[in-house]
PDB file of all heavy atoms in Angstrom:
ATOM      1  N   MET A 114       0.843  -1.175   0.000  1.00 45.00           N
ATOM      2  CA  MET A 114       0.000   0.000   0.000  1.00 45.00           C
ATOM      3  C   MET A 114       0.885   1.233   0.000  1.00 45.00           C
ATOM      4  O   MET A 114       1.761   1.394   0.839  1.00 45.00           O
ATOM      5  CB  MET A 114      -0.899  -0.029   1.232  1.00 45.00           C
ATOM      6  CG  MET A 114      -1.872   1.085   1.303  1.00 45.00           C
ATOM      7  SD  MET A 114      -2.923   0.738   2.742  1.00 45.00           S
ATOM      8  CE  MET A 114      -4.138   1.943   2.493  1.00 45.00           C
ATOM      9  N   SER A 115       0.670   2.114  -0.962  1.00 47.00           N
ATOM     10  CA  SER A 115       1.503   3.308  -1.053  1.00 47.00           C
ATOM     11  C   SER A 115       0.929   4.420  -0.194  1.00 47.00           C
ATOM     12  O   SER A 115      -0.257   4.451   0.116  1.00 47.00           O
ATOM     13  CB  SER A 115       1.599   3.763  -2.515  1.00 47.00           C
ATOM     14  OG  SER A 115       0.326   4.107  -2.993  1.00 47.00           O
ATOM     15  N   ALA A 116       1.788   5.327   0.161  1.00 47.00           N
ATOM     16  CA  ALA A 116       1.372   6.468   0.984  1.00 47.00           C
ATOM     17  C   ALA A 116       0.527   7.407   0.136  1.00 47.00           C
ATOM     18  O   ALA A 116       0.713   7.505  -1.084  1.00 47.00           O
ATOM     19  CB  ALA A 116       2.604   7.195   1.505  1.00 47.00           C
ATOM     20  N   PRO A 117      -0.433   8.098   0.750  1.00 48.00           N
ATOM     21  CA  PRO A 117      -1.233   9.046  -0.012  1.00 48.00           C
ATOM     22  C   PRO A 117      -0.354  10.184  -0.514  1.00 48.00           C
ATOM     23  O   PRO A 117       0.671  10.503   0.096  1.00 48.00           O
ATOM     24  CB  PRO A 117      -2.267   9.551   0.998  1.00 48.00           C
ATOM     25  CG  PRO A 117      -1.733   9.202   2.338  1.00 48.00           C
ATOM     26  CD  PRO A 117      -0.790   8.059   2.155  1.00 48.00           C
ATOM     27  N   PRO A 118      -0.716  10.800  -1.638  1.00 50.00           N
ATOM     28  CA  PRO A 118       0.097  11.896  -2.156  1.00 50.00           C
ATOM     29  C   PRO A 118       0.066  13.079  -1.195  1.00 50.00           C
ATOM     30  O   PRO A 118      -0.880  13.227  -0.427  1.00 50.00           O
ATOM     31  CB  PRO A 118      -0.582  12.247  -3.489  1.00 50.00           C
ATOM     32  CG  PRO A 118      -1.957  11.699  -3.385  1.00 50.00           C
ATOM     33  CD  PRO A 118      -1.901  10.557  -2.433  1.00 50.00           C
ATOM     34  N   PRO A 119       1.118  13.893  -1.220  1.00 46.00           N
ATOM     35  CA  PRO A 119       1.110  15.075  -0.360  1.00 46.00           C
ATOM     36  C   PRO A 119      -0.092  15.958  -0.675  1.00 46.00           C
ATOM     37  O   PRO A 119      -0.621  15.946  -1.788  1.00 46.00           O
ATOM     38  CB  PRO A 119       2.419  15.791  -0.714  1.00 46.00           C
ATOM     39  CG  PRO A 119       3.203  14.859  -1.558  1.00 46.00           C
ATOM     40  CD  PRO A 119       2.292  13.784  -2.045  1.00 46.00           C
ATOM     41  N   ALA A 120      -0.512  16.731   0.302  1.00 44.00           N
ATOM     42  CA  ALA A 120      -1.697  17.582   0.135  1.00 44.00           C
ATOM     43  C   ALA A 120      -1.555  18.497  -1.071  1.00 44.00           C
ATOM     44  O   ALA A 120      -2.519  18.722  -1.804  1.00 44.00           O
ATOM     45  CB  ALA A 120      -1.948  18.391   1.398  1.00 44.00           C
ATOM     46  N   SER A 121      -0.357  19.033  -1.314  1.00 61.00           N
ATOM     47  CA  SER A 121      -0.175  19.941  -2.446  1.00 61.00           C
ATOM     48  C   SER A 121      -0.391  19.219  -3.774  1.00 61.00           C
ATOM     49  O   SER A 121      -0.968  19.763  -4.703  1.00 61.00           O
ATOM     50  CB  SER A 121       1.200  20.600  -2.411  1.00 61.00           C
ATOM     51  OG  SER A 121       2.210  19.605  -2.473  1.00 61.00           O
ATOM     52  N   ALA A 122       0.050  17.955  -3.858  1.00 58.00           N
ATOM     53  CA  ALA A 122      -0.166  17.174  -5.078  1.00 58.00           C
ATOM     54  C   ALA A 122      -1.649  16.879  -5.264  1.00 58.00           C
ATOM     55  O   ALA A 122      -2.165  16.927  -6.376  1.00 58.00           O
ATOM     56  CB  ALA A 122       0.638  15.880  -5.041  1.00 58.00           C
ATOM     57  N   THR A 123      -2.325  16.581  -4.151  1.00 67.00           N
ATOM     58  CA  THR A 123      -3.759  16.308  -4.221  1.00 67.00           C
ATOM     59  C   THR A 123      -4.514  17.553  -4.659  1.00 67.00           C
ATOM     60  O   THR A 123      -5.383  17.490  -5.523  1.00 67.00           O
ATOM     61  CB  THR A 123      -4.276  15.812  -2.851  1.00 67.00           C
ATOM     62  OG1 THR A 123      -3.574  14.624  -2.518  1.00 67.00           O
ATOM     63  CG2 THR A 123      -5.760  15.532  -2.886  1.00 67.00           C
ATOM     64  N   SER A 124      -4.182  18.692  -4.079  1.00 89.00           N
ATOM     65  CA  SER A 124      -4.882  19.926  -4.464  1.00 89.00           C
ATOM     66  C   SER A 124      -4.556  20.319  -5.899  1.00 89.00           C
ATOM     67  O   SER A 124      -5.412  20.842  -6.606  1.00 89.00           O
ATOM     68  CB  SER A 124      -4.568  21.060  -3.490  1.00 89.00           C
ATOM     69  OG  SER A 124      -3.194  21.364  -3.510  1.00 89.00           O
ATOM     70  N   ARG A 125      -3.337  20.071  -6.347  1.00 89.00           N
ATOM     71  CA  ARG A 125      -2.970  20.366  -7.741  1.00 89.00           C
ATOM     72  C   ARG A 125      -3.763  19.459  -8.681  1.00 89.00           C
ATOM     73  O   ARG A 125      -4.293  19.903  -9.685  1.00 89.00           O
ATOM     74  CB  ARG A 125      -1.462  20.158  -7.922  1.00 89.00           C
ATOM     75  CG  ARG A 125      -0.925  20.460  -9.299  1.00 89.00           C
ATOM     76  CD  ARG A 125      -1.036  21.928  -9.675  1.00 89.00           C
ATOM     77  NE  ARG A 125      -0.553  22.753  -8.618  1.00 89.00           N
ATOM     78  CZ  ARG A 125       0.435  23.616  -8.686  1.00 89.00           C
ATOM     79  NH1 ARG A 125       1.045  23.801  -9.823  1.00 89.00           N
ATOM     80  NH2 ARG A 125       0.801  24.314  -7.652  1.00 89.00           N
ATOM     81  N   ARG A 126      -3.852  18.187  -8.316  1.00 92.00           N
ATOM     82  CA  ARG A 126      -4.623  17.235  -9.124  1.00 92.00           C
ATOM     83  C   ARG A 126      -6.086  17.679  -9.208  1.00 92.00           C
ATOM     84  O   ARG A 126      -6.682  17.663 -10.286  1.00 92.00           O
ATOM     85  CB  ARG A 126      -4.512  15.845  -8.489  1.00 92.00           C
ATOM     86  CG  ARG A 126      -5.266  14.763  -9.211  1.00 92.00           C
ATOM     87  CD  ARG A 126      -5.067  13.411  -8.501  1.00 92.00           C
ATOM     88  NE  ARG A 126      -6.030  12.444  -8.902  1.00 92.00           N
ATOM     89  CZ  ARG A 126      -5.974  11.706 -10.011  1.00 92.00           C
ATOM     90  NH1 ARG A 126      -4.977  11.841 -10.834  1.00 92.00           N
ATOM     91  NH2 ARG A 126      -6.923  10.838 -10.293  1.00 92.00           N
ATOM     92  N   GLU A 127      -6.654  18.088  -8.080  1.00 93.00           N
ATOM     93  CA  GLU A 127      -8.044  18.569  -8.073  1.00 93.00           C
ATOM     94  C   GLU A 127      -8.189  19.834  -8.912  1.00 93.00           C
ATOM     95  O   GLU A 127      -9.199  20.009  -9.608  1.00 93.00           O
ATOM     96  CB  GLU A 127      -8.525  18.804  -6.641  1.00 93.00           C
ATOM     97  CG  GLU A 127      -8.683  17.524  -5.839  1.00 93.00           C
ATOM     98  CD  GLU A 127      -9.614  16.514  -6.494  1.00 93.00           C
ATOM     99  OE1 GLU A 127     -10.700  16.904  -6.967  1.00 93.00           O
ATOM    100  OE2 GLU A 127      -9.257  15.321  -6.538  1.00 93.00           O
ATOM    101  N   ALA A 128      -7.210  20.720  -8.848  1.00 94.00           N
ATOM    102  CA  ALA A 128      -7.261  21.955  -9.653  1.00 94.00           C
ATOM    103  C   ALA A 128      -7.244  21.623 -11.147  1.00 94.00           C
ATOM    104  O   ALA A 128      -7.958  22.245 -11.943  1.00 94.00           O
ATOM    105  CB  ALA A 128      -6.094  22.875  -9.292  1.00 94.00           C
ATOM    106  N   ILE A 129      -6.443  20.636 -11.509  1.00 96.00           N
ATOM    107  CA  ILE A 129      -6.391  20.210 -12.917  1.00 96.00           C
ATOM    108  C   ILE A 129      -7.733  19.623 -13.338  1.00 96.00           C
ATOM    109  O   ILE A 129      -8.257  19.955 -14.412  1.00 96.00           O
ATOM    110  CB  ILE A 129      -5.244  19.195 -13.133  1.00 96.00           C
ATOM    111  CG1 ILE A 129      -3.891  19.881 -12.918  1.00 96.00           C
ATOM    112  CG2 ILE A 129      -5.320  18.574 -14.524  1.00 96.00           C
ATOM    113  CD1 ILE A 129      -2.723  18.905 -12.773  1.00 96.00           C
ATOM    114  N   LEU A 130      -8.299  18.757 -12.501  1.00 96.00           N
ATOM    115  CA  LEU A 130      -9.604  18.163 -12.827  1.00 96.00           C
ATOM    116  C   LEU A 130     -10.687  19.236 -12.925  1.00 96.00           C
ATOM    117  O   LEU A 130     -11.519  19.198 -13.842  1.00 96.00           O
ATOM    118  CB  LEU A 130      -9.983  17.105 -11.788  1.00 96.00           C
ATOM    119  CG  LEU A 130      -9.222  15.788 -11.869  1.00 96.00           C
ATOM    120  CD1 LEU A 130      -9.502  14.933 -10.640  1.00 96.00           C
ATOM    121  CD2 LEU A 130      -9.558  15.042 -13.151  1.00 96.00           C
ATOM    122  N   ASP A 131     -10.673  20.193 -12.010  1.00 96.00           N
ATOM    123  CA  ASP A 131     -11.658  21.277 -12.049  1.00 96.00           C
ATOM    124  C   ASP A 131     -11.523  22.099 -13.330  1.00 96.00           C
ATOM    125  O   ASP A 131     -12.522  22.445 -13.974  1.00 96.00           O
ATOM    126  CB  ASP A 131     -11.522  22.199 -10.832  1.00 96.00           C
ATOM    127  CG  ASP A 131     -11.962  21.541  -9.543  1.00 96.00           C
ATOM    128  OD1 ASP A 131     -12.619  20.477  -9.582  1.00 96.00           O
ATOM    129  OD2 ASP A 131     -11.625  22.090  -8.460  1.00 96.00           O
ATOM    130  N   ALA A 132     -10.283  22.412 -13.695  1.00 96.00           N
ATOM    131  CA  ALA A 132     -10.041  23.192 -14.910  1.00 96.00           C
ATOM    132  C   ALA A 132     -10.482  22.412 -16.144  1.00 96.00           C
ATOM    133  O   ALA A 132     -11.146  22.955 -17.044  1.00 96.00           O
ATOM    134  CB  ALA A 132      -8.557  23.561 -15.011  1.00 96.00           C
TER     135      ALA A 132
END
Side-chain angles (χ1 to χ4, degrees):
M114 184 174 190
S115 62
S121 60
T123 300
S124 62
R125 182 66 48 121
R126 180 179 164 81
E127 292 304 315
I129 294 166
L130 286 169
D131 290 346

